Amino acid sequence: MGPYAAVIAVVCGATLLQFANALFAILLPVRLTLAQASPVMVGLIGTAYGAGFLFGCAIGPRLVRRVGHIRAFAALAAACALVAMAFEATASPWLWILLRFLMGGVLAALFVVVEAWLAAATPSDSRGGVIAFYLVAIKAGVILAQTWFAFGDPEAGFWIALAVAGFIAALIPITLTRTREPPTPTEFGFRLRELWQTAPAAVVGVMGAGLINGAVPALLPVWGDTIGIGVSLPVVLLSAMQLGSLVVQWPLGRLSDRIDRRWVIVACLAGVAAVSALLGLAPPVGDVPLLLVFVLFGGVALSFYGICAAHAADHVAAAGGMTRLASGMLFIWAIGAAIGPLIAARLMELVGPAGLFLFCGTVTGAVAAFVLFRMTRRSPVPPGHRPGFVNLPATSPSIGQIDPRSR
């Protein structure tokens, strides 16, 4: 059995999970926006998910060690479906915040199981290709969910039922897979001080990625409604961002293999800042120009997490260091994703819709300044002495086990 055939069931399950989660990630902000909720209330939904995600990354390995991968996945998928159904039972934003926190925790734990399974099923010489296959599949699930939602009635009850079906359907390929169950996971420990000493520029860059990529998906419907383009077009713009990252990520990663990766990070940050200034001051008129701008925005905004992780990997020498690195990078990203929506929402209340992209521009400017400063303090690792670029998604601590640089 080839490496892709061995993981297809697990990848299908992960894609269904991401499809269902993407529906909730956009459904809740859109419905709150249509109900004239404040930007801060909408931002709290994103913050709750990020906080739950952090919690789930911590409890996921412990649950798996207690009951095993298959039982843990089945229990977590069922819990996720129950939480999803609970959204239909209440219209209280405060209860939605609690439920979104729970969903973030359960989904993070689910992806701990999924990615540990991928690591166990993938030969070391195929890991780079499997990560790329996995990343494209889960992004396709996100794009499908967002595009489908954008062309439907956002207030229809169908969407919650569809998301529940997605969470339940994810059980089928996972529980029927013939792929061997992974070994019991170890603790995904890391030391922040060690991480900082390894690659300060990567740490700050990953935090910036979390801040931006937590805030924009959570608040773009509010931005769109406030500037008069409605709530459906911003959902399509989010899909355009995902498409942009699929197109741009690998060329940027390969470029970073040839030059100092920090220059590529700075270029991405400059691109985010430039597009943010355009969107904040004078958003393009017309659907097509906006789509093109957001393809560019997603291409740079969703790409520099992987390049920051690659820069940190250039400085990891110890055995098992990549697994600890991936855990630490994800932890820092998740902190940013948890606090970004709340800060950006408050700025939107103070200065209007432009506050969302003022936030993005300020974050990227500060991160770029720090990365440029670090370039004066440390020489780059020569290209011949670095591992090749691998695009690590920010999904769970288990992703570090699949990374071909970890063995």
Side-chain angles (χ1 to χ4, degrees):
M1 182 182 291
Y4 297 99
V7 301
I8 187 67
V10 181
V11 171
C12 285
T15 302
L16 287 165
L17 289 176
Q18 283 286 47
F19 171 85
N21 184 43
L23 275 180
F24 268 100
I26 196 60
L27 171 67
L28 303 182
V30 166
R31 288 197 174 174
L32 286 172
T33 300
L34 292 174
Q36 303 300 309
S38 69
V40 167
M41 182 59 71
V42 178
L44 280 169
I45 293 288
T47 291
Y49 179 81
F53 185 90
L54 275 170
F55 179 68
C57 286
I59 66 167
R62 298 178 186 178
L63 179 63
V64 172
R65 282 195 298 275
R66 186 179 180 89
V67 301
H69 287 79
I70 292 178
R71 289 180 179 177
F73 188 91
L76 289 165
C80 211
L82 289 172
V83 172
M85 285 189 286
F87 281 95
E88 193 71 87
T90 178
S92 167
W94 294 106
L95 287 177
W96 280 9
I97 289 168
L98 174 61
L99 291 171
R100 193 61 176 148
F101 171 84
L102 294 174
M103 186 173 283
V106 173
L107 277 165
L110 277 166
F111 276 97
V112 166
V113 178
V114 165
E115 290 172 358
W117 227 316
L118 284 176
T122 306
S124 58
D125 59 352
S126 303
R127 286 181 176 170
V130 167
I131 285 181
F133 171 54
Y134 171 61
L135 182 66
V136 170
I138 60 177
K139 280 186 177 285
V142 172
I143 291 171
L144 175 61
Q146 292 170 341
T147 306
W148 193 348
F149 181 80
F151 292 101
D153 177 5
E155 298 188 271
F158 166 76
W159 301 115
I160 290 180
L162 182 62
V164 171
F167 289 131
I168 295 172
L171 277 162
I172 299 171
I174 295 290
T175 53
L176 295 181
T177 183
R178 297 173 63 186
T179 302
R180 63 186 176 89
E181 190 170 359
T184 303
T186 57
E187 291 284 352
F188 296 108
F190 64 94
R191 301 179 183 88
L192 283 176
R193 182 176 180 181
E194 177 188 9
L195 198 59
W196 178 260
Q197 291 172 339
T198 299
V203 170
V204 174
V206 165
M207 173 63 81
L211 288 166
I212 294 167
N213 299 327
V216 174
L219 295 167
L220 201 64
V222 179
W223 174 81
D225 189 58
T226 308
I227 68 168
I229 63 172
V231 294
S232 294
L233 180 57
V235 180
V236 179
L237 298 180
L238 289 173
S239 293
M241 289 177 62
Q242 296 290 341
L243 180 62
S245 72
L246 280 175
V247 172
V248 171
Q249 177 72 82
W250 279 103
L252 288 176
R254 295 307 181 198
L255 176 62
S256 77
D257 283 341
R258 294 170 172 80
I259 65 174
D260 188 341
R261 296 196 203 275
R262 293 170 295 183
W263 279 120
V264 181
I265 295 169
V266 169
C268 287
L269 294 166
V272 174
V275 176
S276 296
L278 173 64
L279 292 170
L281 298 174
V285 177
D287 295 358
V288 173
L290 270 174
L291 282 168
L292 292 175
V293 168
F294 273 87
V295 167
L296 174 60
F297 185 77
V300 288
L302 300 179
S303 294
F304 68 90
Y305 174 90
I307 300 171
C308 288
H311 168 63
D314 294 341
H315 299 278
V316 172
M322 273 309 305
T323 301
R324 293 198 304 274
L325 171 70
S327 301
M329 293 282 113
L330 182 69
F331 178 80
I332 293 163
W333 178 90
I335 291 175
I339 63 178
L342 199 53
I343 299 172
R346 181 58 182 152
L347 269 176
M348 292 178 77
E349 286 195 338
L350 291 173
V351 304
L356 175 59
F357 293 102
L358 172 63
F359 171 76
C360 293
T362 301
V363 168
T364 51
V367 174
F370 182 80
V371 174
L372 288 169
F373 166 75
R374 286 299 307 170
M375 291 173 71
T376 68
R377 293 293 183 269
R378 175 190 266 180
S379 299
V381 176
H385 294 81
R386 310 177 196 161
F389 173 75
V390 177
N391 186 19
L392 290 187
T395 44
S396 93
S398 295
I399 195 67
Q401 297 178 344
I402 318 173
D403 194 323
R405 299 168 296 193
S406 65
R407 302 289 174 93

